[in-house]
Amino acid sequence: MIASIAICLLSTLGASGEKNLAIVLPDNPRIHYTGRWDFSNPLEPWSAWQGSTITINFNGTGCDMAMDPGSSTEWYRVVLDGDHLSSQKISVNRGLQQVALASGLPAGIHRLDLIKETYVGTNSSFFGFRIHGTGL
């Protein structure tokens, strides 16, 4: 049920007429997960531990995600194209929401690493990406 809501969230927020939006579900084999992830529901993988990472290579100009960090705010690091010095730390407030990870990038292939930096003791559930471009 929550996965369906997340897919709708990712789909409808692009209804502004923007072309070339691709929804990428969490069970896509081109998503690389590192760390302690639970895949008992492949459309709602979750992790609680800091250092857990999601990595994608996408073709486009930006990327959003749908996530529910559990009962409290969690912090993540977004690393684009391997540039750790220019990485951004973002907070994700509790509850299912869409979060912008990258925007305004030059068109083309980009690598995105999303690294969980905090451990508050609750599970963060990941529901997919919205790529501003052609996808993975």
Side-chain angles (χ1 to χ4, degrees):
M1 176 68 171
I2 294 177
S4 298
I5 295 169
I7 293 167
C8 289
L9 177 67
L10 286 170
S11 299
T12 58
L13 289 174
S16 61
E18 184 176 354
K19 296 179 182 177
N20 293 329
L21 289 176
I23 304 302
V24 180
L25 299 178
D27 62 348
N28 188 304
R30 292 185 176 168
I31 299 175
H32 182 75
Y33 296 90
T34 307
R36 299 176 85 176
W37 287 91
D38 181 296
F39 295 97
S40 54
N41 181 345
L43 292 177
E44 295 181 27
W46 63 264
S47 180
W49 295 94
Q50 68 269 34
S52 297
T53 303
I54 303 171
T55 301
I56 59 169
N57 292 304
F58 68 94
N59 188 355
T61 60
C63 179
D64 308 319
M65 72 166 174
M67 178 168 282
D68 181 350
S71 62
S72 62
T73 298
E74 294 277 5
W75 288 87
Y76 295 84
R77 172 99 23 210
V78 178
V79 180
L80 287 170
D81 299 325
D83 186 357
H84 293 271
L85 294 176
S86 297
S87 65
Q88 300 293 315
K89 189 172 182 178
I90 62 168
S91 66
V92 180
N93 297 321
R94 67 184 193 162
L96 176 61
Q97 58 187 293
Q98 182 233 8
V99 180
L101 300 175
S103 62
L105 300 173
I109 304 294
H110 298 280
R111 176 185 168 126
L112 186 143
D113 296 292
L114 179 69
I115 305 158
K116 189 171 188 301
E117 290 201 338
T118 53
Y119 171 66
V120 181
T122 61
N123 300 334
S124 293
S125 298
F126 170 67
F127 296 97
F129 291 109
R130 181 178 68 171
I131 307 298
H132 301 262
T134 57
L136 303 183

